Amino acid sequence: MPPPDSPPRQVLCLVVLALLLLLLRLSLASGGGGELTYLWPLPAEFTTGGDTLSVDPALALVVGGEGGGSRIVKDAFDRYKSIIFQHSGVFSIFNTLRKRASGYDIGRLRIVVRSGNEELQLGVDESYTLLVTESDGKSINGEATIEANTVYGALRGLETFSQLCTFDYSTKSVLVRQAPWYIHDEPRFAYRGLLLDTSRHYYPVDVIKHILDSMSFAKLNVLHWHMVDSQSFPLEVPTYPKLWQGAYTKWERYTVEDAYEIVNFAKSRGIHVMAEVDVPGHAESWGKGYPELWPSSSCKEPLDVSKNSTFDLISGLLSDMRKIFPFELFHLGGDEVNTDCWTSTTHVKQWLQSHNMTGKDAYKYFVIRAQEIAISKNLTPVNWEETFNAFPQSLNPKTIVHNWLGAGVCPKAVAKGFKCIFSNQGVWYLHYLDVPWEKVYTAEPLEGISDASKQKLVIGGEVCMWGETADTSNVQQTIWPRAAAAAERLWSRRDATSAGDVNTTALPRLHYFRCLLNGRGVQAAPVTNQYARSPPKGPGSCYDQ
Amino acid sequence: MPPPDSPPRQVLCLLVLALLLRPSLASGGGGGGGGGGELAYLWPLPAEFTAGGDTLSVDPALALVVGGNGGGSRIVKDAFDRYKSIIFQHSGVFSIFNALRKRASGYDIGRLRIVVRSGNEELQLGVDESYTLLVTKSDGKSIIGEATIEANTVYGALRGLETFSQLCTFDYSTKSVLVRQAPWYIRDEPRFAYRGLLLDTSRHYYPVDVIKHILDSMSFAKLNVLHWHMVDSQSFPLEVPTYPKLWQGAYTKWERYTVEDAYEIVNFAKNRGIHVMAEVDVPGHAESWGKGYPELWPSSSCREPLDVSKSSTFDLISGLLSDIRKIFPFELFHLGGDEVNTDCWTSTTHVKQWLQNHNMTGKDAYKYFVIRAQEIAISKNWTPVNWEETFNAFPQSLNPKTIVHNWLGAGVCPKAVAKGFKCIFSNQGVWYLDHLDVPWDQVYTAEPLEGISDASKQKLVIGGEVCMWGETADTSNVQQTIWPRAAAAAERLWSRRDATSAGDVNTTALPRLNHFRCLLNGRGVQAAPVTNQYPRSPSRGPGSCYGQ
């Protein structure tokens, strides 16, 4: 992760101001005045106070900086405004008028974005500063301020601001408690992912959008879209129009336009979409439209390594996808390859012999050739760890190793100079329903890596929502709240997430965040059930279950 | 249920026209035939319909044209916009080029004409929900082809819009929305006026947005009553201005509904043609009331039922009902009355004394309480609904306006209607959604009129309701517990009895229900797999939505 740009002058000015305020208000307790700060994930640095400020339901957006006028900022402000004021419906107009007379403490949100560059690249600056203080009395309207270097930092700041705003049922107004707030925040890892598997079950586009929305609430920033697998091939590929004949049904498909829409929807939430095309295994469904990709009609996986046309198709497929997915990382799979179909099918066996290859050699050959195709299209290849485990010397040095089988792989990968993504299945595979939240939370991507220069090669981690038993009816409840536990591990500082008893430092906040998700319409399951996604054990408050 | 008004002349005219123009029309309706051999993927099944063999394309820029006194209603316009975004959810910003290309060649359907005869938007029990829907190719005279919905009320128009949206499917080959098996002529109306879903916000609190999401999903299945079981022993989330300490009985200070929230829910429901029937369950199931007003408890150690001996108890109920009356315009109000254990009355000194003074047993006092609560409700111009225990215990004393809400078992509605009471069918063996061992077909084949043969008595069964008790259903799983089984009951309550009772349900209903479940999923509703042995359990493995 590149070091964040130095803070802009305006931010510095604000910091100085905040520090002055701090001096003036000696009562300010650092990091939370004894009361727990209900923020998730925990910001890098923050100070709070003892004031309670009211927020105007007619909160106005004021923008500044080269990027302030961005559509992304305006849309996000509108989204968050409707989240923050979801209790203040049409019937509260009278309330509003009454309050207007007496005045609100915060009438404006100022968002300053230094850069006008909206390119969403890995490691894009997501830092922000958020200041929520009472008006100094000089201006009529009090305001809160978010300052960031990019629009994506502004999005993170908006999420945090929305978490500071709570609806108070006594006064029927939105309040920020423990003000003044001064928050300076930035992510610990650049890559904070969630895998979604649209091959084992098809998720409608609206469901994927709903998941993207919920990811943004936890500051997750990569949707790893495991698009196709053995079971189904839902995606339209214009160059090879028969590929999506591998969809389950004619209704369970994604058009190119659907994919564009998902990428755009994600971008406006600061989320990268990393597509995966898993080769050469996990690809049986490809052959429904193009049976020549199967070694034979009775032995259908891995993809036929012996034919040039196989690689032509992969190249055409990747060209088509490159147009849709601007993210520089592209996942080529490479896991769980059983080469029996190659060594048992006559023409492939013949090919292996004439090239003097074993099945294992051919596996390497296939992976490397696929990598070359990806690199030729200006993509950085990501592979599941098997490719690294089997032939680390042959992998392209740009390869990002995606850990899953067990602990200790990222240490080995970074020792050899590879970048690595942490997804140890024992802790971060969400379909393992017997992994409780605290095991997810305490999993540490840098475990076993002490050299700082090597630590930098771990770009982050990812929770994986494999879809065998997760469909539209239960996918959100399988993802949440455990994905949030990983999200804080990946966003917040290591010392904040690793010190103390997680039942004190994290659990109450996670309960709160789960209920926040529920309030935003996300089907997050009870936090402390023994098995994930099981129903609540009985009647009770969301905050206890 | 009052008989529907005779169809407006315009509809008749259209019908005649359609019949004249298309002698090839296969007569469908009834037993679910209708439609060139292919199954009509509509849920619930319309009363009458005919289909054909054409495929028509629908313009993504579909325009709304309205007519009739009620056509200009905001409810119609909003619903059209909602359904348009559902129908064209695949046609995003990137399909502008497509749209332009298609425009040149022309779409078969460029306009949806909605004619609403009456301008009266009052949403009362038995409001006319009938509609006629005609989808045919343009006759060539006008440049723009159109589909037509005609209804007597805006609520009929809403039902017609839902049906129209189910006819529209996205075709992935042409990337356009098509209506297959056209021309469609559908004439539809509900079998029962009351088609309900109970939601229990006491055992678990559901955020307002979640309730709205549930209301949306109800409208997809043409359910039309949200029975809001607002408060119970566990928590009292609702704000009551006259008794501001009542919602101290909420689980937490964040798990509450303001009066404004309740208004918003009622309005949101009305826009979807859904009544909201509030329930305040007395005198049992009310422990949480006493958190703010401990004097409602017989004693601090014996907290249920509400103290029958104090006038202040009834004053509070009266004040509470006055406040709620302002929010809920629906004429039915549910007073509970179930599972009353009078031990706290007979064991608490001052209540026991009162019983003796009034020469009452616990059972007498139960009756006294229920009747007095009924009188309060009636005085506020409400029709009282009670769980069946009140009818089982003292049918002669109940106000004759009482609607008996069956739940304990079969055979109660027959008894209630025999005595002249109206009845709602919710037999727990089949229509309690928290019973997770009841598969979809048992829900589907449950018949509210079972055991009632006299037509005049049958009319007293106003409908039925599936109940989503909240003990183990929270925001994370409530929709997946409700759906798809609530849809099975919804078709039973909407469609004609001969259509839902004839033949093998695995042929006549299951494929359509699978389809409807996937439709719900496509609209963001977490409907569970249909044929799992236990509802709301996860799919058993990878597979198509349509096969699970």
Side-chain angles (χ1 to χ4, degrees):
Chain A
M1 193 172 80
D5 293 81
S6 59
R9 247 166 301 175
Q10 278 171 298
V11 173
L12 275 178
C13 172
L14 264 176
V15 174
V16 172
L17 225 115
L19 288 175
L20 281 174
L21 279 171
L22 282 174
L23 289 174
L24 289 171
R25 302 178 150 268
L26 291 173
S27 62
L28 269 186
S30 172
E35 231 188 285
L36 198 62
T37 306
Y38 287 114
L39 291 174
W40 193 279
L42 212 57
E45 295 168 38
F46 60 97
T47 59
T48 68
D51 297 346
T52 295
L53 308 180
S54 61
V55 186
D56 190 345
L59 186 72
L61 171 66
V62 183
V63 296
E66 278 174 28
S70 163
R71 176 78 191 247
I72 290 179
V73 171
K74 174 69 172 70
D75 288 352
F77 176 78
D78 291 343
R79 277 201 310 277
Y80 279 106
K81 201 172 155 186
S82 71
I83 285 173
I84 292 169
F85 298 103
Q86 59 178 327
H87 278 282
S88 312
V90 281
F91 291 93
S92 57
I93 289 167
F94 306 108
N95 267 340
T96 307
L97 290 174
R98 200 185 333 130
K99 279 278 174 60
R100 186 69 48 84
S102 66
Y104 289 93
D105 297 314
I106 298 169
R108 288 192 303 228
L109 178 62
R110 180 180 301 277
I111 300 183
V112 179
V113 178
R114 193 178 60 162
S115 163
N117 182 357
E118 294 184 4
E119 228 182 308
L120 184 59
Q121 287 184 309
L122 184 67
V124 69
D125 189 329
E126 296 176 271
S127 70
Y128 66 91
T129 304
L130 170 61
L131 190 63
V132 187
T133 61
E134 205 157 352
S135 164
D136 55 7
K138 279 178 197 156
S139 82
I140 301 167
N141 266 331
E143 65 181 34
T145 308
I146 292 170
E147 297 202 338
N149 291 319
T150 71
V151 292
Y152 304 108
L155 293 180
R156 306 300 170 234
L158 267 165
E159 173 57 40
T160 303
F161 177 69
S162 77
Q163 294 191 16
L164 291 180
C165 294
T166 53
F167 183 74
D168 178 64
Y169 282 83
S170 333
T171 58
K172 295 198 183 178
S173 58
V174 171
L175 303 179
V176 174
R177 296 178 197 278
Q178 297 174 256
W181 282 91
Y182 167 73
I183 296 175
H184 179 74
D185 200 8
E186 63 183 346
R188 182 177 167 214
F189 291 104
Y191 183 110
R192 307 178 304 280
L194 168 73
L195 177 146
L196 195 66
D197 167 9
T198 57
S199 176
R200 275 57 176 262
H201 278 99
Y202 171 84
Y203 304 106
V205 173
D206 278 0
V207 174
I208 296 177
K209 288 182 181 173
H210 195 238
I211 291 169
L212 285 164
D213 255 333
S214 61
M215 287 172 68
S216 71
F217 303 151
K219 299 192 172 77
L220 288 173
N221 75 337
V222 182
L223 178 71
H224 172 179
W225 189 357
H226 186 85
M227 296 192 293
V228 298
D229 206 294
S230 310
Q231 285 82 356
S232 77
F233 195 116
L235 187 77
E236 176 184 25
V237 179
T239 306
Y240 289 91
K242 287 194 278 183
L243 274 173
W244 70 349
Q245 288 181 9
Y248 280 129
T249 62
K250 60 182 174 178
W251 303 295
E252 290 168 298
R253 302 190 194 173
Y254 303 104
T255 61
V256 167
E257 291 80 10
D258 287 338
Y260 270 120
E261 198 166 319
I262 286 165
V263 169
N264 266 4
F265 188 92
K267 183 180 179 180
S268 62
R269 281 146 187 85
I271 298 174
H272 312 273
V273 181
M274 177 176 71
E276 176 177 354
V277 168
D278 192 345
V279 294
H282 289 283
E284 182 182 324
S285 65
W286 303 33
K288 287 225 180 103
Y290 298 96
E292 62 272 24
L293 291 167
W294 292 331
S296 75
S297 60
S298 59
C299 214
K300 301 179 169 177
E301 253 176 18
L303 296 169
D304 191 336
V305 66
S306 72
K307 296 193 187 109
N308 270 321
S309 59
T310 302
F311 296 94
D312 291 345
L313 185 142
I314 291 174
S315 180
L317 167 58
L318 263 58
S319 288
D320 280 3
M321 294 187 46
R322 188 64 179 120
K323 292 175 201 146
I324 303 171
F325 299 98
F327 192 42
E328 62 262 43
L329 270 52
F330 189 86
H331 206 302
L332 285 166
D335 57 316
E336 299 185 312
V337 177
N338 177 338
T339 57
D340 286 354
C341 278
W342 289 345
T343 50
S344 68
T345 303
T346 316
H347 78 273
V348 187
K349 193 173 162 184
Q350 182 62 47
W351 183 88
L352 290 175
Q353 280 168 0
S354 51
H355 289 74
N356 201 20
M357 283 190 197
T358 63
K360 209 179 157 186
D361 294 335
Y363 167 45
K364 179 170 80 179
Y365 163 82
F366 200 115
V367 166
I368 301 302
R369 197 160 163 189
Q371 286 202 333
E372 282 162 5
I373 294 170
I375 289 165
S376 77
K377 298 180 198 307
N378 208 16
L379 291 164
T380 302
V382 184
N383 268 131
W384 294 108
E385 65 169 78
E386 282 97 325
T387 65
F388 168 79
N389 299 341
F391 41 86
Q393 286 84 351
S394 313
L395 282 182
N396 188 293
K398 287 184 178 171
T399 306
I400 299 177
V401 177
H402 194 168
N403 153 250
W404 74 279
L405 284 165
V409 174
C410 279
K412 280 182 212 153
V414 300
K416 291 204 191 307
F418 290 104
K419 288 185 178 162
C420 193
I421 298 166
F422 175 87
S423 288
N424 181 353
Q425 62 173 339
V427 286
W428 282 11
Y429 265 29
L430 296 169
H431 68 300
Y432 290 173
L433 301 176
D434 56 350
V435 179
W437 78 272
E438 69 267 26
K439 277 195 172 160
V440 177
Y441 188 79
T442 53
E444 173 49 51
L446 296 188
E447 175 100 39
I449 307 170
S450 47
D451 180 339
S453 69
K454 297 299 177 196
Q455 287 185 341
K456 279 190 184 137
L457 293 175
V458 178
I459 60 172
E462 175 180 303
V463 283
C464 298
M465 182 64 271
W466 293 107
E468 279 83 351
T469 67
D471 62 14
T472 295
S473 70
N474 61 357
V475 64
Q476 284 283 53
Q477 128 199 62
T478 319
I479 293 172
W480 307 103
R482 291 180 304 160
E488 176 154 299
R489 170 65 46 182
L490 290 165
W491 177 276
S492 306
R493 293 191 171 176
R494 189 172 181 176
D495 53 4
T497 50
S498 306
D501 174 11
V502 294
N503 287 312
T504 315
T505 59
L507 181 56
R509 286 186 300 109
L510 185 55
H511 267 305
Y512 195 91
F513 184 68
R514 181 238 164 171
C515 301
L516 176 145
L517 288 175
N518 282 180
R520 296 182 183 187
V522 180
Q523 298 80 35
V527 176
T528 51
N529 274 351
Q530 195 183 351
Y531 291 96
R533 88 171 174 206
S534 50
K537 283 184 278 268
S541 164
C542 173
Y543 297 87
D544 294 333
Q545 291 188 324
Chain B
M1 195 174 79
D5 293 271
S6 59
R9 245 166 304 175
Q10 278 170 298
V11 173
L12 273 178
C13 173
L14 263 177
L15 169 55
V16 170
L17 224 113
L19 288 175
L20 281 175
L21 284 172
R22 302 230 148 229
S24 65
L25 271 186
S27 174
E38 233 187 285
L39 200 62
Y41 286 115
L42 292 173
W43 193 279
L45 211 56
E48 296 169 37
F49 61 97
T50 58
D54 297 345
T55 295
L56 307 180
S57 61
V58 187
D59 190 344
L62 187 72
L64 172 67
V65 183
V66 297
N69 288 337
S73 163
R74 177 79 191 246
I75 291 179
V76 171
K77 175 69 172 68
D78 288 353
F80 175 78
D81 291 343
R82 277 200 310 278
Y83 279 106
K84 202 172 154 185
S85 70
I86 285 173
I87 293 169
F88 298 103
Q89 58 180 327
H90 279 281
S91 312
V93 281
F94 291 93
S95 58
I96 288 168
F97 306 108
N98 266 341
L100 289 174
R101 200 182 337 130
K102 277 281 173 57
R103 185 68 48 83
S105 65
Y107 289 93
D108 297 313
I109 299 169
R111 286 192 302 228
L112 178 62
R113 180 179 300 277
I114 301 182
V115 179
V116 179
R117 195 176 57 161
S118 163
N120 182 357
E121 295 184 3
E122 229 180 310
L123 183 59
Q124 287 183 310
L125 184 66
V127 69
D128 189 329
E129 296 176 90
S130 70
Y131 67 91
T132 305
L133 169 61
L134 190 62
V135 188
T136 61
K137 211 185 285 220
S138 164
D139 56 6
K141 280 178 197 157
S142 81
I143 302 167
I144 300 175
E146 65 181 34
T148 308
I149 293 170
E150 298 202 340
N152 291 317
T153 71
V154 292
Y155 305 108
L158 293 180
R159 306 300 170 234
L161 268 166
E162 173 57 39
T163 303
F164 178 69
S165 77
Q166 293 191 16
L167 290 180
C168 295
T169 53
F170 183 75
D171 178 65
Y172 282 82
S173 332
T174 58
K175 295 197 183 178
S176 59
V177 171
L178 303 179
V179 174
R180 296 178 197 277
Q181 297 174 258
W184 282 92
Y185 168 72
I186 296 175
R187 163 139 172 86
D188 200 8
E189 63 184 345
R191 182 177 166 213
F192 290 104
Y194 183 109
R195 307 177 305 279
L197 168 72
L198 177 145
L199 195 66
D200 168 8
T201 56
S202 177
R203 274 58 176 261
H204 279 99
Y205 172 83
Y206 304 105
V208 173
D209 279 1
V210 174
I211 296 178
K212 288 182 181 173
H213 195 237
I214 291 169
L215 285 164
D216 255 333
S217 60
M218 287 172 69
S219 72
F220 303 152
K222 299 190 172 76
L223 288 173
N224 75 337
V225 182
L226 178 71
H227 173 178
W228 189 359
H229 186 85
M230 296 191 291
V231 299
D232 206 295
S233 311
Q234 285 81 356
S235 77
F236 195 116
L238 186 77
E239 176 183 26
V240 179
T242 306
Y243 289 90
K245 287 193 277 184
L246 275 172
W247 71 350
Q248 289 180 9
Y251 280 128
T252 62
K253 61 182 174 178
W254 302 295
E255 291 167 298
R256 301 189 194 174
Y257 303 103
T258 62
V259 167
E260 291 81 9
D261 287 339
Y263 270 118
E264 198 167 317
I265 286 166
V266 169
N267 265 7
F268 189 93
K270 184 180 179 179
N271 284 330
R272 283 144 187 86
I274 297 173
H275 313 274
V276 182
M277 177 175 71
E279 176 177 356
V280 167
D281 192 346
V282 293
H285 289 283
E287 184 183 324
S288 65
W289 303 33
K291 287 223 180 104
Y293 298 97
E295 61 272 24
L296 291 168
W297 292 332
S299 76
S300 61
S301 59
C302 214
R303 299 176 167 187
E304 254 177 17
L306 296 169
D307 191 337
V308 65
S309 71
K310 296 191 187 114
S311 275
S312 59
T313 302
F314 297 95
D315 292 344
L316 185 142
I317 291 174
S318 180
L320 167 58
L321 264 59
S322 288
D323 280 2
I324 294 182
R325 189 64 178 119
K326 292 175 200 148
I327 303 171
F328 298 96
F330 192 42
E331 62 261 44
L332 270 51
F333 184 80
H334 206 301
L335 284 164
D338 57 316
E339 300 185 310
V340 176
N341 178 337
T342 57
D343 286 354
C344 277
W345 289 346
T346 50
S347 68
T348 304
T349 316
H350 78 273
V351 187
K352 192 175 164 185
Q353 186 61 48
W354 182 89
L355 290 175
Q356 282 169 0
N357 295 347
H358 291 75
N359 200 21
M360 283 189 196
T361 62
K363 208 178 156 187
D364 295 335
Y366 166 47
K367 180 169 79 178
Y368 163 81
F369 200 117
V370 167
I371 301 302
R372 199 161 161 189
Q374 286 201 331
E375 282 162 4
I376 295 171
I378 289 165
S379 77
K380 299 183 197 303
N381 207 17
W382 252 329
T383 302
V385 184
N386 268 128
W387 293 108
E388 66 170 79
E389 282 96 325
T390 65
F391 169 78
N392 298 341
F394 41 86
Q396 287 84 353
S397 313
L398 281 182
N399 188 293
K401 286 185 178 171
T402 306
I403 298 176
V404 177
H405 194 168
N406 153 249
W407 73 278
L408 283 164
V412 174
C413 279
K415 280 182 212 152
V417 300
K419 290 204 191 312
F421 290 105
K422 287 184 178 163
C423 193
I424 298 166
F425 175 87
S426 288
N427 181 353
Q428 62 173 340
V430 285
W431 282 11
Y432 265 29
L433 297 170
D434 60 318
H435 291 208
L436 298 176
D437 54 350
V438 181
W440 79 271
D441 48 323
Q442 282 189 29
V443 178
Y444 188 80
T445 53
E447 173 48 52
L449 296 187
E450 175 101 39
I452 307 169
S453 46
D454 181 338
S456 70
K457 297 298 177 197
Q458 287 185 341
K459 278 188 186 139
L460 293 175
V461 178
I462 60 171
E465 175 180 304
V466 282
C467 299
M468 181 64 272
W469 293 107
E471 280 83 351
T472 67
D474 63 11
T475 296
S476 71
N477 62 356
V478 64
Q479 284 283 54
Q480 115 198 75
T481 320
I482 293 173
W483 308 103
R485 291 181 303 160
E491 175 154 300
R492 170 66 45 179
L493 290 165
W494 177 276
S495 306
R496 292 191 171 176
R497 187 171 179 175
D498 53 3
T500 51
S501 305
D504 174 11
V505 295
N506 288 312
T507 315
T508 60
L510 181 56
R512 286 185 301 108
L513 185 55
N514 269 330
H515 197 93
F516 185 69
R517 181 239 165 174
C518 301
L519 176 145
L520 288 176
N521 282 179
R523 296 181 184 187
V525 180
Q526 298 79 34
V530 176
T531 51
N532 272 352
Q533 195 183 353
Y534 291 96
R536 92 172 173 200
S537 50
S539 59
R540 279 182 290 256
S544 163
C545 174
Y546 297 88
Q548 290 189 324

